[in-house]
Amino acid sequence: MKSRFFFIVLMFFCGCLTFGQSTLLPPKENPFGSAQETPAEGPEPNPEPEKKETFDSNFSISEFLISTEGKWNQEDAVFGFSSDVSMELTLKTGNSAYAFSGFDIEADNIERLFTDKTSGQSSNLAMKLSGAGFGINNIKESGFYFQFFTGKNDRLASGGIFSSLFQEEGIRPFFYKTTEKNDLYRGIHRVIGTGFNIGVKDKSDKVSTNIYLYQDNVNPANKGIYAIDYAFNLNLPVFKMSSFVGFSTPAKEQKPLFRSGVMCFLTNGKDSGLYTELGIPYYPIGDKFTIENLYILFEPRFRVGLVTTSLTFFYNPEYYLEKETDEGGDIDLSLRLAIGDIEKKELQGGLESTLNFITKTDADIFDVLISPFLSLKTGPVFWDGKLNISVLNFKNPREMFSFNLITKAEF
């Protein structure tokens, strides 16, 4: 009896173990690989594709400027318009790497585009790529930046550098003047060519220094000329400075070129201040240095309430952008009285009187311009228009009047 009892207990215990194994332990691997079972190890049946790193991109128009001059054209016996349009298109990818491009649109006697069907096929209208390149900002969080460019690049010793470099509002003189080729005097020199821009900017956006190494194509007649320009920029609340010194290797049968300049703006933060541009745009090393090699712009400005007064002294250089001008040695004295606040009220108007001393002529040695002007701000667009009246040129009534209109959009 005892042996039979122990045998029954043993069989019951073995049955319990078998039942527990079948219900509590995980199932064994099916040798036939049923589709309902998931392998304990190995890759998933449908792995997700590996995600690639993506970068945000944006496309913008950083500057759009139209400069138009209208005056009597004695040769064509018509009141003609001469316009220069520059448009800077910027494509940026990611936070540090970017690409950029720019286009220039040039049109002479633009009114003929509407009356002369062949004018659009002639040199009266031209659109061309002005510059392009690639760059990297703030390399490895060090403040260093690198840029490869071709075509038009920075204007040196110009207040516009603070807009592109420090993302602040650009600075320019109240008085502006065009060359005989309708180029605005903006800064002492402009980097034009193919090369590299290597620099460093501190994290506080107060100091920047860089060097340009490029083939100098500022003057289209230059071939095989290489250049180096070193620039230093200082951005403080009450004092801003942009300076440079540069050198170009000599072309065949020419002398090496030296250039240097500085732009300074001292302000009290309330539109009163002193704006200056001083430099040597073009000097062949070895030639006799004269005052005509200088570029001098001196403009103190004062503001009381809504009234702003500025007095500008401008000495015209003999060479600008490595080309001879017709105004070398001329002196402009301009007094400007403006009423309004272009930033807060978006409207400003007034009167500008300019006395121009002409040094290279056998006729009148000076001219007097009276120029009423009006400035508007409509959103991101600035309008500056003025009518010029040459009061001493009454013998030629058609040549007494001209006007300038500068339209600039900042997006």
Side-chain angles (χ1 to χ4, degrees), residues 109-323:
N109 294 331
I110 197 170
E111 63 177 8
R112 292 162 62 179
L113 296 176
F114 304 101
T115 58
D116 186 354
K117 295 182 180 181
T118 64
S119 61
Q121 303 174 358
S122 67
S123 60
N124 292 325
L125 178 64
M127 179 176 180
K128 58 184 179 181
L129 180 69
S130 62
F134 295 90
I136 304 176
N137 282 328
N138 199 23
I139 300 175
K140 293 186 180 297
E141 303 298 329
S142 63
F144 281 93
Y145 60 89
F146 171 84
Q147 185 184 90
F148 170 74
F149 65 88
T150 182
K152 295 180 180 180
N153 204 273
D154 292 334
R155 295 180 181 271
L156 305 182
S158 168
I161 197 71
F162 294 94
S163 175
S164 59
L165 189 60
F166 298 110
Q167 289 73 52
E168 291 194 359
E169 184 179 355
I171 308 168
R172 66 175 180 85
F174 289 143
F175 174 80
Y176 59 84
K177 183 179 179 180
T178 60
T179 68
E180 73 281 358
K181 294 180 175 59
N182 201 38
D183 294 324
L184 274 176
Y185 286 106
R186 297 169 65 188
I188 307 299
H189 182 70
R190 186 169 194 181
V191 176
I192 301 177
T194 300
F196 302 94
N197 175 13
I198 305 170
V200 60
K201 183 176 66 171
D202 74 328
K203 295 182 180 180
S204 64
D205 277 348
K206 293 182 179 179
V207 178
S208 172
T209 181
N210 62 296
I211 188 170
Y212 303 87
L213 301 169
Y214 61 102
Q215 177 176 283
D216 184 2
N217 296 120
V218 176
N219 187 340
N222 292 341
K223 295 181 179 180
I225 297 181
Y226 293 91
I228 179 173
D229 289 293
Y230 170 76
F232 176 80
N233 303 288
L234 181 64
N235 180 34
L236 299 176
V238 297
F239 180 72
K240 302 181 185 297
M241 181 183 72
S242 176
S243 61
F244 81 99
V245 59
F247 174 84
S248 293
T249 59
K252 186 177 180 181
E253 299 178 355
Q254 292 184 358
K255 298 178 180 180
L257 301 177
F258 171 82
R259 56 186 167 268
S260 181
V262 60
M263 186 286 306
C264 293
F265 181 60
L266 180 65
T267 177
N268 64 353
K270 298 180 181 179
D271 294 336
S272 295
L274 175 63
Y275 182 96
T276 61
E277 291 179 2
L278 174 64
I280 305 171
Y282 180 93
Y283 172 63
I285 298 176
D287 284 2
K288 182 180 179 181
F289 187 85
T290 66
I291 191 174
E292 293 183 354
N293 294 114
L294 295 177
Y295 177 115
I296 304 173
L297 191 147
F298 182 83
E299 184 182 272
R301 52 184 72 167
F302 310 94
R303 180 170 182 173
V304 179
L306 294 178
V307 179
T308 303
T309 305
S310 64
L311 177 63
T312 306
F313 172 90
F314 179 55
Y315 184 86
N316 295 251
E318 185 176 12
Y319 284 83
Y320 187 67
L321 298 181
E322 299 184 9
K323 293 177 288 186

Side-chain angles (χ1 to χ4, degrees), residues 172 176 336 339-350 373-386 405-409:
R172 66 175 180 85
Y176 59 84
R336 185 176 187 268
I339 301 176
D341 191 328
I342 191 65
E343 293 298 331
K344 296 180 180 180
K345 303 297 183 180
E346 301 182 346
L347 177 64
Q348 190 178 67
F373 67 87
L374 182 66
S375 300
L376 297 174
K377 181 182 179 183
T378 55
V381 183
F382 293 85
W383 306 75
D384 288 318
K386 64 179 180 180
L405 175 64
I406 293 182
T407 309
K408 180 179 181 181

Side-chain angles (χ1 to χ4, degrees), residues 313-372:
F313 172 90
F314 179 55
Y315 184 86
N316 295 251
E318 185 176 12
Y319 284 83
Y320 187 67
L321 298 181
E322 299 184 9
K323 293 177 288 186
E324 188 174 6
T325 68
D326 291 341
E327 302 136 350
D330 291 0
I331 297 175
D332 296 300
L333 290 175
S334 179
L335 176 64
R336 185 176 187 268
L337 179 65
I339 301 176
D341 191 328
I342 191 65
E343 293 298 331
K344 296 180 180 180
K345 303 297 183 180
E346 301 182 346
L347 177 64
Q348 190 178 67
L351 188 66
E352 181 179 274
S353 59
T354 303
L355 180 62
N356 175 228
F357 291 94
I358 305 171
T359 59
K360 297 180 180 180
T361 180
D362 295 331
D364 298 331
I365 62 172
F366 63 91
D367 189 17
V368 178
L369 291 179
I370 302 297
S371 305

